[in-house]
Amino acid sequence: MTASRTPRVLAGLAVLGLLTLAGCGTQTAAPAAKPASSGEGRGIRATQLAHVTDVHEATGMTLLEGPVLVDDGSLYVVDVTAPPGEPKLISVDVATGRHEGVYTDRTGAYTSAQISPHDHRLYLTDFATGSIVSVAQDGAQPRTFFSGEVDGSRMTPDDIAFDDEGNVYVSDAHGTEPDETDGRIVRIDRDGTKTSVLADGLAQPNGVMFDPELRGLWISELAEDTISYLLLDAGKTAVTSRHEAIHVDGGLAQTDSIAVDADGNLYQALHGRPAIAVYSEYGARLATVEVPAPRSEGLKSATNVAITPGGTRAYMTVSGPAGGYVFTFPSLAKGVRQSNGG
């Protein structure tokens, strides 16, 4: 989710404004002219798996995010705008579409979820408080993994990725006004005690995900409609090079979260359109995953995607005035660990 795509509920709904700006959806000034990818590749039709949530009376919206498959085979999603006491982490049976609440609290506005390869707990980014919370896979034993400032400034964490050692990489949406470029990519050691800023000067960064070889990070900037690549050093503690790799020609839609598959293809979720743009690692537009027209009414955004590790069944979270849904589609290649959540 981005710090610019759709509003989320924070205390007193003040966060709704921020969240709307956070990839959670904002209107931004037209970017400077840049080379745009042409064509949309082949069409892939998504199929509805589950209608998970309806618009909450207390917050005026619902927003599903962070799909991640857990060890029992269930798909977990987060509802960013769920009010206190209503499910914020939800389990979906991928065979039947049945769903149930797994975790809630009074303050969190969770925008992503991923499983750490170190301790196998679920890590949730809290856009509202600037913290990262972990829970056991059954929703028990909540712990604050990280809270506080990074280089003198509190984070607005959106998406999350892990390296194989369990160190955490977070997109910090930070500035949420259209002309702000205060966003960052932050690394947090797996014990939660040491932080470093890998990249700054970003325009509402949202998606963050390793390539299959874990050599570098793909990141998206919602306010710029771009995907950039950050090549990391051997210790993954510093960026050795950074370049804009793809400009997403999305029209009214903006770049939200990112997933990768085993072949290195990028699945770019679109805020403002219930679709996923699929690119090769060299920037070719390979395909567009679409919610078919009869089912797309009242659905405004595809926020995130997860691909089954070792398989090609993919799941996308889609939301709008019609509610929060999970759709499935066949990915172009098999999923890997990094494909699952973020």
Side-chain angles (χ1 to χ4, degrees), residues 265-290:
N265 300 315
L266 304 172
Y267 296 74
Q268 176 61 66
L270 298 176
H271 168 65
R273 179 183 177 187
I276 303 288
V278 187
Y279 295 90
S280 77
E281 60 185 338
Y282 294 107
R285 181 74 170 257
L286 303 177
T288 301
V289 183
E290 290 270 16

Side-chain angles (χ1 to χ4, degrees), residues 35-37 224-227 246-251 253-255 268 270 277 279 285:
S37 303
E224 293 289 341
D225 281 341
T226 58
I227 302 171
I246 300 168
H247 179 70
V248 179
D249 187 15
Q254 297 174 283
T255 50
Q268 176 61 66
L270 298 176
Y279 295 90
R285 181 74 170 257

Side-chain angles (χ1 to χ4, degrees), residues 66-68 70 74-78 89-92 102 122 137-138:
V68 58
V70 298
S74 298
L75 180 77
Y76 281 11
V77 298
V78 291
L89 179 66
I90 302 166
S91 172
V92 180
V102 175
L122 275 166
Q137 292 192 23
D138 62 359

Side-chain angles (χ1 to χ4, degrees), residues 154-306:
R154 196 189 80 168
M155 285 200 301
T156 307
D158 201 330
D159 284 4
I160 189 169
F162 287 90
D163 63 25
D164 282 347
E165 286 70 47
N167 301 305
V168 178
Y169 302 76
V170 182
S171 58
D172 176 11
H174 214 255
T176 53
E177 295 300 322
D179 59 347
E180 287 186 304
T181 55
D182 296 333
R184 306 179 292 185
I185 301 299
V186 175
R187 183 187 191 272
I188 308 173
D189 283 6
R190 73 183 188 189
D191 63 3
T193 60
K194 183 179 179 182
T195 65
S196 58
V197 176
L198 296 181
D200 57 13
L202 301 174
Q204 298 166 23
N206 192 332
V208 57
M209 189 54 59
F210 274 100
D211 59 21
E213 297 79 21
L214 279 83
R215 293 176 302 193
L217 291 166
W218 292 105
I219 66 169
S220 62
E221 293 176 75
L222 181 133
E224 293 289 341
D225 281 341
T226 58
I227 302 171
S228 296
Y229 184 70
L230 311 182
L231 181 65
L232 303 180
D233 65 4
K236 300 181 179 61
T237 59
V239 173
T240 60
S241 69
R242 164 180 162 184
H243 71 278
E244 180 183 308
I246 300 168
H247 179 70
V248 179
D249 187 15
L252 295 178
Q254 297 174 283
T255 50
D256 209 301
S257 299
I258 301 176
V260 298
D261 65 22
D263 286 354
N265 300 315
L266 304 172
Y267 296 74
Q268 176 61 66
L270 298 176
H271 168 65
R273 179 183 177 187
I276 303 288
V278 187
Y279 295 90
S280 77
E281 60 185 338
Y282 294 107
R285 181 74 170 257
L286 303 177
T288 301
V289 183
E290 290 270 16
V291 173
R295 300 296 312 131
S296 64
E297 184 175 355
L299 298 178
K300 300 301 184 183
S301 297
T303 56
N304 210 331
V305 58

Side-chain angles (χ1 to χ4, degrees), residues 128-149:
T129 69
S131 62
I132 299 172
V133 173
S134 78
V135 297
Q137 292 192 23
D138 62 359
Q141 303 171 353
R143 303 172 189 163
T144 299
F145 166 72
F146 178 81
S147 181
E149 295 184 343

